[in-house]
Coordinates of all heavy atoms in Angstrom, one line a residue:
E230 N 9.4 18.6 -27.2 CA 10.1 18.7 -25.9 C 9.1 18.5 -24.8 O 9.5 17.8 -23.8 CB 10.7 20.1 -25.8 CG 11.9 20.3 -26.7 CD 12.3 21.8 -26.7 OE1 11.5 22.7 -26.5 OE2 13.5 22.0 -27.0
L231 N 7.9 18.9 -24.9 CA 6.9 18.7 -23.9 C 6.5 17.2 -23.8 O 6.4 16.7 -22.7 CB 5.6 19.5 -24.2 CG 4.5 19.5 -23.2 CD1 5.0 20.0 -21.9 CD2 3.3 20.3 -23.7
K232 N 6.4 16.6 -25.0 CA 6.1 15.1 -25.0 C 7.3 14.4 -24.3 O 7.0 13.4 -23.5 CB 6.0 14.7 -26.4 CG 5.5 13.3 -26.6 CD 5.3 12.9 -28.1 CE 4.8 11.5 -28.3 NZ 4.6 11.2 -29.7
E233 N 8.5 14.7 -24.6 CA 9.6 14.1 -24.0 C 9.7 14.3 -22.4 O 10.0 13.4 -21.7 CB 10.9 14.6 -24.6 CG 12.2 14.0 -24.1 CD 12.3 12.5 -24.4 OE1 11.7 12.0 -25.3 OE2 13.0 11.8 -23.6
F234 N 9.3 15.5 -22.0 CA 9.3 15.9 -20.6 C 8.3 15.1 -19.9 O 8.5 14.7 -18.7 CB 9.0 17.4 -20.5 CG 8.9 17.8 -19.0 CD1 10.1 18.0 -18.3 CD2 7.7 18.1 -18.4 CE1 10.0 18.4 -16.9 CE2 7.6 18.5 -17.1 CZ 8.8 18.7 -16.4
E235 N 7.1 14.8 -20.5 CA 6.0 14.1 -19.8 C 6.1 12.6 -19.9 O 5.4 11.9 -19.3 CB 4.7 14.6 -20.4 CG 4.4 16.0 -20.0 CD 3.1 16.5 -20.6 OE1 2.5 15.8 -21.5 OE2 2.6 17.5 -20.1
R236 N 7.1 12.1 -20.7 CA 7.2 10.7 -21.0 C 7.7 10.0 -19.7 O 8.5 10.4 -19.0 CB 8.2 10.4 -22.1 CG 8.4 9.0 -22.5 CD 9.5 8.9 -23.6 NE 10.8 9.3 -23.2 CZ 11.7 8.6 -22.5 NH1 11.4 7.3 -22.2 NH2 12.8 9.0 -22.2
V237 N 7.0 8.8 -19.4 CA 7.4 8.0 -18.3 C 8.7 7.3 -18.7 O 8.9 6.7 -19.8 CB 6.4 7.0 -18.0 CG1 6.8 6.0 -17.0 CG2 5.1 7.7 -17.5
P238 N 9.7 7.3 -17.8 CA 11.0 6.7 -18.2 C 10.9 5.1 -18.3 O 10.1 4.5 -17.6 CB 11.9 7.0 -17.0 CG 11.0 7.4 -15.9 CD 9.8 7.9 -16.5
H239 N 11.6 4.6 -19.2 CA 11.7 3.1 -19.4 C 12.8 2.7 -18.5 O 14.0 3.1 -18.6 CB 12.0 2.7 -20.8 CG 10.8 3.0 -21.7 ND1 9.7 2.2 -21.8 CD2 10.6 4.1 -22.6 CE1 8.9 2.8 -22.7 NE2 9.4 3.9 -23.1
L240 N 12.5 1.8 -17.6 CA 13.4 1.3 -16.5 C 13.9 -0.1 -16.7 O 13.1 -0.9 -17.2 CB 12.7 1.4 -15.2 CG 12.1 2.8 -14.8 CD1 11.3 2.7 -13.5 CD2 13.2 3.8 -14.7
K241 N 15.1 -0.3 -16.4 CA 15.7 -1.7 -16.4 C 15.2 -2.4 -15.1 O 14.7 -1.7 -14.2 CB 17.2 -1.6 -16.5 CG 17.7 -1.0 -17.8 CD 19.2 -0.9 -17.8 CE 19.6 -0.2 -19.0 NZ 21.0 0.2 -19.0
Y242 N 15.5 -3.7 -15.0 CA 15.0 -4.4 -13.9 C 15.5 -3.9 -12.6 O 14.7 -3.7 -11.6 CB 15.4 -5.9 -14.0 CG 14.9 -6.7 -12.9 CD1 13.6 -7.2 -12.9 CD2 15.6 -7.0 -11.8 CE1 13.1 -8.0 -11.9 CE2 15.1 -7.7 -10.7 CZ 13.9 -8.2 -10.8 OH 13.4 -9.0 -9.7
N243 N 16.8 -3.6 -12.5 CA 17.3 -3.1 -11.2 C 16.8 -1.7 -10.9 O 16.6 -1.3 -9.7 CB 18.8 -3.1 -11.2 CG 19.5 -2.3 -12.3 OD1 18.8 -1.9 -13.2 ND2 20.8 -2.1 -12.2
E244 N 16.5 -0.9 -11.9 CA 15.9 0.4 -11.6 C 14.4 0.3 -11.2 O 14.0 1.0 -10.3 CB 15.9 1.3 -12.9 CG 17.3 1.6 -13.4 CD 17.4 2.3 -14.7 OE1 16.6 1.9 -15.6 OE2 18.2 3.1 -14.9
K245 N 13.7 -0.7 -11.7 CA 12.4 -1.0 -11.2 C 12.4 -1.4 -9.8 O 11.6 -1.0 -9.0 CB 11.7 -2.0 -12.1 CG 11.4 -1.6 -13.5 CD 10.7 -2.7 -14.3 CE 10.6 -2.4 -15.7 NZ 10.0 -3.5 -16.5
A246 N 13.3 -2.3 -9.5 CA 13.4 -2.8 -8.1 C 13.7 -1.7 -7.1 O 13.1 -1.6 -6.0 CB 14.5 -3.9 -8.0
Y247 N 14.5 -0.7 -7.5 CA 14.8 0.4 -6.7 C 13.6 1.4 -6.6 O 13.2 1.8 -5.5 CB 16.0 1.2 -7.2 CG 16.2 2.6 -6.6 CD1 16.7 2.7 -5.3 CD2 15.8 3.7 -7.3 CE1 16.8 4.0 -4.7 CE2 15.9 5.0 -6.7 CZ 16.4 5.1 -5.4 OH 16.5 6.3 -4.8
S248 N 13.0 1.7 -7.7 CA 12.0 2.7 -7.8 C 10.7 2.2 -7.1 O 10.0 3.0 -6.4 CB 11.6 3.0 -9.3 OG 12.7 3.5 -9.9
F249 N 10.3 1.0 -7.3 CA 9.0 0.5 -6.8 C 9.1 -0.2 -5.5 O 8.1 -0.9 -5.1 CB 8.3 -0.3 -7.9 CG 8.1 0.4 -9.2 CD1 8.6 0.0 -10.4 CD2 7.4 1.6 -9.2 CE1 8.4 0.7 -11.6 CE2 7.2 2.3 -10.4 CZ 7.7 1.9 -11.6
S250 N 10.2 -0.1 -4.8 CA 10.3 -0.7 -3.5 C 9.8 0.3 -2.5 O 10.4 1.4 -2.4 CB 11.7 -1.2 -3.2 OG 12.6 -0.1 -3.2
L251 N 8.8 0.0 -1.8 CA 8.2 0.9 -0.8 C 8.9 0.7 0.5 O 9.3 -0.4 0.9 CB 6.7 0.6 -0.6 CG 5.8 0.8 -1.8 CD1 4.4 0.4 -1.5 CD2 5.8 2.3 -2.2
P252 N 9.2 1.8 1.3 CA 9.7 1.6 2.6 C 8.7 0.8 3.5 O 7.5 0.8 3.2 CB 9.8 3.0 3.1 CG 9.8 3.9 1.9 CD 9.0 3.2 0.9
K253 N 9.2 0.1 4.5 CA 8.4 -0.8 5.3 C 7.1 -0.1 5.8 O 6.0 -0.7 5.7 CB 9.2 -1.3 6.5 CG 8.4 -2.1 7.5 CD 8.2 -3.5 7.0 CE 7.7 -4.4 8.1 NZ 6.4 -5.0 7.7
L254 N 7.1 1.1 6.3 CA 5.9 1.8 6.8 C 4.9 2.0 5.6 O 3.7 1.7 5.8 CB 6.3 3.1 7.4 CG 5.2 4.0 7.9 CD1 4.5 3.2 9.1 CD2 5.7 5.3 8.4
L255 N 5.4 2.5 4.5 CA 4.5 2.7 3.3 C 3.9 1.3 2.8 O 2.8 1.3 2.4 CB 5.2 3.5 2.2 CG 5.4 4.9 2.5 CD1 6.1 5.6 1.3 CD2 4.1 5.7 2.8
L256 N 4.8 0.3 2.8 CA 4.3 -1.0 2.3 C 3.2 -1.5 3.2 O 2.2 -2.0 2.7 CB 5.5 -2.0 2.3 CG 5.2 -3.4 1.8 CD1 4.7 -3.4 0.4 CD2 6.4 -4.3 1.9
D257 N 3.3 -1.4 4.5 CA 2.3 -1.9 5.4 C 1.0 -1.1 5.2 O -0.1 -1.7 5.1 CB 2.7 -1.7 6.9 CG 3.9 -2.7 7.2 OD1 4.1 -3.7 6.5 OD2 4.5 -2.4 8.2
I258 N 1.1 0.2 4.9 CA -0.1 1.0 4.7 C -0.7 0.6 3.3 O -1.9 0.4 3.2 CB 0.2 2.5 4.7 CG1 0.6 2.9 6.2 CG2 -0.9 3.3 4.2 CD1 1.2 4.3 6.3
A259 N 0.1 0.5 2.3 CA -0.4 0.1 1.0 C -1.0 -1.2 0.9 O -2.0 -1.4 0.2 CB 0.8 0.2 0.0
L260 N -0.5 -2.2 1.7 CA -1.0 -3.5 1.7 C -2.4 -3.6 2.4 O -3.2 -4.5 2.2 CB -0.1 -4.5 2.4 CG 1.2 -4.9 1.5 CD1 2.1 -5.7 2.4 CD2 0.8 -5.6 0.3
S261 N -2.7 -2.5 3.2 CA -4.0 -2.5 3.8 C -5.1 -1.8 3.0 O -6.2 -1.7 3.4 CB -3.8 -1.8 5.2 OG -3.6 -0.4 5.0
F262 N -4.7 -1.3 1.8 CA -5.7 -0.7 0.9 C -6.8 -1.6 0.6 O -6.6 -2.9 0.6 CB -5.1 -0.1 -0.3 CG -4.2 1.0 -0.1 CD1 -3.2 1.4 -1.1 CD2 -4.3 1.8 1.0 CE1 -2.4 2.5 -0.9 CE2 -3.4 2.9 1.2 CZ -2.5 3.3 0.2
Q263 N -8.0 -1.1 0.2 CA -9.2 -1.9 0.0 C -9.0 -2.9 -1.2 O -9.5 -4.0 -1.1 CB -10.4 -1.0 -0.3 CG -10.8 -0.2 0.9 CD -12.0 0.7 0.5 OE1 -12.4 0.7 -0.6 NE2 -12.5 1.4 1.5
N264 N -8.3 -2.5 -2.2 CA -8.2 -3.4 -3.3 C -6.8 -3.3 -4.0 O -6.1 -2.3 -3.7 CB -9.3 -3.3 -4.3 CG -9.3 -2.0 -5.0 OD1 -8.3 -1.4 -5.3 ND2 -10.6 -1.5 -5.2
D265 N -6.5 -4.2 -4.9 CA -5.2 -4.1 -5.5 C -4.9 -3.0 -6.4 O -3.8 -2.5 -6.6 CB -4.9 -5.5 -6.3 CG -4.8 -6.6 -5.3 OD1 -4.5 -6.4 -4.1 OD2 -5.0 -7.8 -5.8
S266 N -6.0 -2.4 -7.0 CA -5.9 -1.3 -7.9 C -5.3 -0.1 -7.1 O -4.5 0.7 -7.7 CB -7.2 -0.9 -8.5 OG -7.7 -1.9 -9.3
Y267 N -5.7 0.2 -5.9 CA -5.2 1.3 -5.1 C -3.7 1.0 -4.8 O -2.9 2.0 -4.8 CB -6.0 1.4 -3.8 CG -7.4 1.8 -4.0 CD1 -8.4 1.4 -3.1 CD2 -7.8 2.6 -5.1 CE1 -9.7 1.8 -3.2 CE2 -9.2 3.0 -5.2 CZ -10.1 2.6 -4.3 OH -11.4 2.9 -4.5
F268 N -3.4 -0.2 -4.4 CA -2.0 -0.5 -4.1 C -1.1 -0.3 -5.4 O -0.1 0.3 -5.3 CB -1.9 -2.0 -3.7 CG -0.4 -2.5 -3.6 CD1 0.2 -2.3 -2.3 CD2 0.3 -3.1 -4.6 CE1 1.5 -2.7 -2.2 CE2 1.6 -3.4 -4.4 CZ 2.2 -3.2 -3.2
L269 N -1.6 -0.7 -6.5 CA -0.9 -0.5 -7.8 C -0.7 1.0 -8.1 O 0.4 1.4 -8.4 CB -1.6 -1.2 -8.9 CG -1.0 -1.1 -10.3 CD1 0.4 -1.8 -10.3 CD2 -1.9 -1.8 -11.3
A270 N -1.8 1.7 -8.0 CA -1.7 3.2 -8.3 C -0.7 3.9 -7.4 O 0.1 4.7 -7.8 CB -3.0 3.8 -8.3
F271 N -0.8 3.6 -6.1 CA 0.1 4.2 -5.1 C 1.5 3.9 -5.4 O 2.4 4.7 -5.3 CB -0.3 3.7 -3.7 CG 0.5 4.3 -2.6 CD1 0.3 5.6 -2.2 CD2 1.6 3.6 -2.1 CE1 1.1 6.2 -1.2 CE2 2.3 4.2 -1.1 CZ 2.1 5.4 -0.6
T272 N 1.8 2.6 -5.6 CA 3.2 2.2 -5.9 C 3.7 2.8 -7.2 O 4.9 3.2 -7.2 CB 3.3 0.6 -6.0 OG1 2.7 0.1 -4.8 CG2 4.7 0.1 -6.1
L273 N 2.9 2.9 -8.2 CA 3.4 3.5 -9.4 C 3.7 5.0 -9.2 O 4.7 5.5 -9.6 CB 2.3 3.4 -10.5 CG 2.2 2.0 -11.2 CD1 1.0 1.9 -12.0 CD2 3.5 1.7 -12.1
L274 N 2.8 5.7 -8.5 CA 3.0 7.1 -8.3 C 4.3 7.3 -7.4 O 5.1 8.2 -7.7 CB 1.8 7.7 -7.5 CG 0.6 8.0 -8.4 CD1 -0.6 8.4 -7.5 CD2 0.8 9.1 -9.4
F275 N 4.4 6.5 -6.4 CA 5.6 6.6 -5.6 C 6.9 6.3 -6.4 O 7.8 7.1 -6.3 CB 5.5 5.6 -4.4 CG 6.7 5.6 -3.5 CD1 6.8 6.5 -2.5 CD2 7.7 4.7 -3.7 CE1 7.9 6.5 -1.7 CE2 8.8 4.7 -2.8 CZ 8.9 5.6 -1.8
G276 N 6.9 5.3 -7.2 CA 8.1 4.9 -8.0 C 8.4 6.0 -9.0 O 9.6 6.4 -9.1
Y277 N 7.4 6.5 -9.7 CA 7.7 7.5 -10.7 C 8.2 8.8 -10.1 O 9.1 9.5 -10.6 CB 6.5 7.8 -11.6 CG 6.2 6.6 -12.6 CD1 4.9 6.3 -12.9 CD2 7.2 5.9 -13.1 CE1 4.6 5.3 -13.8 CE2 6.9 4.8 -14.0 CZ 5.6 4.6 -14.3 OH 5.3 3.6 -15.2
F278 N 7.6 9.1 -8.9 CA 8.0 10.3 -8.2 C 9.4 10.2 -7.7 O 10.2 11.1 -7.8 CB 7.1 10.7 -7.1 CG 7.4 12.0 -6.4 CD1 7.0 13.2 -7.0 CD2 8.1 12.0 -5.3 CE1 7.3 14.4 -6.4 CE2 8.4 13.2 -4.7 CZ 8.0 14.4 -5.2
K279 N 9.8 9.0 -7.3 CA 11.1 8.7 -6.8 C 12.2 8.9 -7.9 O 13.3 9.5 -7.6 CB 11.2 7.3 -6.3 CG 12.3 6.9 -5.3 CD 12.0 5.5 -4.8 CE 13.1 5.0 -3.9 NZ 12.8 3.7 -3.4
I280 N 11.8 8.6 -9.1 CA 12.8 8.7 -10.2 C 12.8 10.1 -10.8 O 13.8 10.7 -11.0 CB 12.4 7.7 -11.3 CG1 12.7 6.3 -10.8 CG2 13.2 8.0 -12.6 CD1 14.2 5.9 -10.8
T281 N 11.6 10.7 -11.1 CA 11.5 11.9 -11.8 C 11.2 13.2 -11.0 O 11.3 14.3 -11.5 CB 10.3 11.8 -12.9 OG1 9.1 11.7 -12.2 CG2 10.5 10.7 -13.8
H282 N 10.8 13.0 -9.7 CA 10.5 14.1 -8.8 C 9.3 14.9 -9.4 O 9.2 16.1 -9.1 CB 11.7 15.0 -8.6 CG 12.8 14.3 -8.0 ND1 12.9 13.9 -6.7 CD2 14.0 13.8 -8.6 CE1 14.0 13.3 -6.5 NE2 14.7 13.2 -7.6
K283 N 8.4 14.2 -10.0 CA 7.1 14.8 -10.5 C 6.1 13.6 -10.6 O 6.5 12.4 -10.7 CB 7.2 15.5 -11.8 CG 7.7 14.6 -12.9 CD 7.9 15.4 -14.2 CE 8.3 14.4 -15.3 NZ 8.6 15.0 -16.5
F284 N 4.8 14.0 -10.6 CA 3.8 13.0 -10.7 C 3.4 12.8 -12.1 O 3.3 13.8 -12.9 CB 2.5 13.4 -9.9 CG 2.8 13.2 -8.4 CD1 3.0 14.3 -7.6 CD2 2.8 12.0 -7.8 CE1 3.2 14.2 -6.2 CE2 3.1 11.8 -6.4 CZ 3.3 12.9 -5.7
S285 N 3.1 11.6 -12.6 CA 2.6 11.3 -13.9 C 1.2 11.0 -14.0 O 0.7 10.4 -13.0 CB 3.4 10.2 -14.5 OG 4.8 10.5 -14.6
D286 N 0.5 11.3 -15.1 CA -0.9 10.9 -15.3 C -0.9 9.4 -15.5 O 0.0 8.8 -16.2 CB -1.5 11.7 -16.4 CG -3.0 11.6 -16.5 OD1 -3.6 10.9 -15.6 OD2 -3.5 12.2 -17.4
D287 N -2.0 8.7 -15.1 CA -2.1 7.3 -15.2 C -2.1 6.8 -16.7 O -1.9 5.6 -16.9 CB -3.2 6.7 -14.4 CG -4.6 7.2 -14.8 OD1 -4.6 8.2 -15.6 OD2 -5.5 6.7 -14.3
I288 N -2.5 7.6 -17.6 CA -2.5 7.2 -19.0 C -1.0 6.9 -19.5 O -0.9 6.2 -20.5 CB -3.1 8.2 -20.0 CG1 -3.2 9.6 -19.5 CG2 -4.3 7.7 -20.7 CD1 -3.8 10.6 -20.4
F289 N -0.1 7.4 -18.9 CA 1.3 7.3 -19.3 C 2.0 6.1 -18.6 O 3.2 5.9 -18.8 CB 2.1 8.5 -19.1 CG 1.6 9.7 -19.9 CD1 1.0 10.8 -19.3 CD2 1.6 9.7 -21.3 CE1 0.6 11.9 -20.0 CE2 1.2 10.7 -22.0 CZ 0.6 11.8 -21.4
Y290 N 1.3 5.4 -17.8 CA 1.9 4.2 -17.1 C 2.4 3.2 -18.1 O 1.7 2.9 -19.0 CB 1.0 3.6 -16.1 CG 0.7 4.5 -14.9 CD1 -0.5 4.2 -14.1 CD2 1.5 5.5 -14.4 CE1 -0.7 5.0 -13.0 CE2 1.3 6.2 -13.3 CZ 0.1 6.0 -12.6 OH -0.1 6.8 -11.5
N291 N 3.6 2.7 -17.8 CA 4.1 1.6 -18.7 C 3.6 0.3 -18.2 O 3.7 -0.1 -17.0 CB 5.7 1.7 -18.5 CG 6.4 0.8 -19.5 OD1 5.9 -0.3 -19.7 ND2 7.5 1.3 -20.0
E292 N 3.1 -0.5 -19.2 CA 2.6 -1.8 -18.9 C 3.6 -2.8 -18.2 O 3.3 -3.6 -17.3 CB 2.0 -2.4 -20.1 CG 1.1 -3.6 -20.0 CD -0.2 -3.1 -19.3 OE1 -0.7 -2.0 -19.6 OE2 -0.8 -3.9 -18.5
N293 N 4.9 -2.7 -18.6 CA 5.9 -3.5 -18.0 C 6.1 -3.2 -16.5 O 6.4 -4.1 -15.7 CB 7.2 -3.3 -18.8 CG 7.2 -3.8 -20.2 OD1 6.4 -4.7 -20.5 ND2 8.0 -3.2 -21.0

Side-chain angles (χ1 to χ4, degrees):
E230 292 168 332
L231 185 60
K232 187 177 179 180
E233 181 66 26
F234 178 76
E235 292 177 345
R236 182 180 63 84
V237 172
H239 292 281
L240 305 172
K241 297 177 184 167
Y242 182 84
N243 58 348
E244 294 171 325
K245 289 178 189 179
Y247 167 76
S248 301
F249 300 122
S250 63
L251 298 174
K253 175 76 170 121
L254 178 64
L255 288 180
L256 179 62
D257 292 342
I258 293 169
L260 288 173
S261 71
F262 290 160
Q263 292 178 0
N264 62 40
D265 291 340
S266 296
Y267 295 150
F268 175 86
L269 180 63
F271 180 80
T272 307
L273 283 167
L274 285 172
F275 178 83
Y277 289 146
F278 186 79
K279 199 172 180 181
I280 292 286
T281 63
H282 302 283
K283 62 183 179 181
F284 289 105
S285 298
D286 193 359
D287 59 354
I288 16 182
F289 297 115
Y290 290 158
N291 186 320
E292 197 67 36
N293 293 332

